[in-house]
Amino acid sequence: MRKPFIAGNWKMHKTVSQALELIEELLRLVAGEDEVRIAIAPPFTSLYPVAQRLKGSNVELSAQDCFWEDEGAYTGEISPLMLAEVGCTYCIVGHSERRHIFGEGNEEVLRKARALLEHGISPIVCVGETLPEREKGQAMETVKHQLHGSLKGITKEEMTRVVIAYEPVWAIGTGKTATPQQAQEMHAFIRDWLGQAFGGDIASSCSILYGGSVKPTNIQGLMAMEDIDGALVGGASLDAASFAQIIKGGKR
Ligand code: PEP
């Protein structure tokens, strides 16, 4: 049985003091909530102070991105080694904003995922089609290509620690959510692909999150779908009350 998983991606929001304020309220609202796995991904500057506050709580820490080397002359980058020491158990890779604004491709996503796994951090690998790709009937082809390129050579053991997030680009930050049926169709496709690539056991245990304008009002409809195991939440995770409602709505 896959435990529901709700992760909040804060993107480039919140100073350290704002992050600590938000986390304080969130911890109060979700205290004792153990039916849902919860993670938050604050900006790099807040990871350490937030990690101190999360110790012993039911909320885990995720980073939003990383570089694949441990250390070196890579100005501006942060390594999985650094993230592990801070206490990150997850790291988002291949978010559509990284892919589309910063030109990141599957090869980089794969290198990051591998480096994270080496340091005991679970990558949350994001995939998803653009609106033109969906309109041309190429959504599944696009996602298949991203899965193939971003997970090439990952072992079965490693795959037990990977989370997939399906985030249709046209639904991120736009207020347009995929219908539960549209999301389910793609999640089932992803699970089927995982089965072919890694075997049935991996496919049935892998958490596949949906992302794209998830709110307290639509989480239950999404979670009612067989292959939707949780959500990667952007905007609505910036408010403790709405994120806590999504977490509660994420229970099966
Ligand atoms: C995201 O950033 O991953 C996301 C899904 O954003 P939003 O919930 O704001 O659409």
Side-chain angles (χ1 to χ4, degrees):
M1 200 39 202
R2 300 179 298 267
K3 186 171 178 171
F5 182 18
I6 305 287
N9 172 15
W10 293 5
K11 312 192 185 189
M12 197 174 73
H13 292 284
K14 307 286 180 191
T15 63
V16 173
S17 57
Q18 291 168 339
L20 289 170
E21 237 173 77
L22 171 49
I23 214 63
E24 211 55 57
E25 201 186 341
L26 181 67
L27 288 175
R28 188 175 54 76
L29 293 171
V30 301
E33 190 55 74
D34 59 4
E35 286 176 51
V36 178
R37 234 183 328 153
I38 308 166
I40 49 149
F44 287 133
T45 46
S46 292
L47 288 177
Y48 184 76
V50 166
Q52 304 314 301
R53 184 60 192 90
L54 294 185
K55 273 187 187 153
S57 80
N58 56 343
V59 178
E60 291 182 76
L61 190 63
S62 174
Q64 298 178 14
D65 189 30
C66 68
F67 191 58
W68 51 78
E69 298 291 348
D70 280 358
E71 59 179 20
Y74 305 105
T75 302
E77 297 297 323
I78 299 286
S79 76
L81 175 72
M82 296 166 179
L83 297 177
E85 193 185 276
V86 163
C88 289
T89 45
Y90 295 97
C91 179
I92 300 167
V93 287
H95 189 279
S96 71
E97 286 148 19
R98 300 295 323 166
R99 290 179 186 266
H100 296 280
I101 303 174
F102 300 98
E104 210 166 279
N106 294 326
E107 204 181 302
E108 284 97 343
V109 177
L110 174 62
R111 292 181 84 166
K112 291 178 181 191
R114 280 183 173 288
L116 288 162
L117 288 162
E118 271 173 33
H119 288 281
I121 299 174
S122 289
I124 302 176
V125 177
C126 302
V127 294
E129 80 286 359
T130 61
L131 190 57
E133 284 163 342
R134 176 157 283 264
E135 285 173 346
K136 279 187 256 161
Q138 295 169 349
M140 284 174 176
E141 204 44 50
T142 300
V143 167
K144 185 167 139 185
H145 181 71
Q146 291 171 335
L147 288 168
H148 183 76
S150 310
L151 299 172
K152 203 154 68 186
I154 297 281
T155 66
K156 284 190 184 190
E157 183 285 317
E158 288 170 332
M159 203 52 214
T160 62
R161 298 183 277 133
V162 173
V163 175
I164 306 288
Y166 167 58
E167 302 204 301
V169 180
W170 47 273
I172 298 179
T174 57
K176 284 186 205 155
T177 325
T179 63
Q181 292 71 22
Q182 277 174 323
Q184 165 59 27
E185 186 184 26
M186 187 62 87
H187 281 229
F189 174 79
I190 293 172
R191 205 175 299 287
D192 191 57
W193 184 89
L194 290 171
Q196 288 171 38
F198 299 100
D201 287 355
I202 302 284
S204 58
S205 63
C206 182
S207 287
I208 308 175
L209 314 183
Y210 168 78
S213 300
V214 173
K215 301 180 203 70
T217 47
N218 57 27
I219 184 68
Q220 277 167 324
L222 290 161
M223 290 303 290
M225 297 291 125
E226 191 183 336
D227 290 295
I228 300 183
D229 305 315
L232 182 53
V233 185
S237 71
L238 295 172
D239 176 77
S242 78
F243 192 51
Q245 276 181 56
I246 292 172
I247 290 164
K248 289 173 202 295
K251 286 189 222 175
R252 288 212 199 267

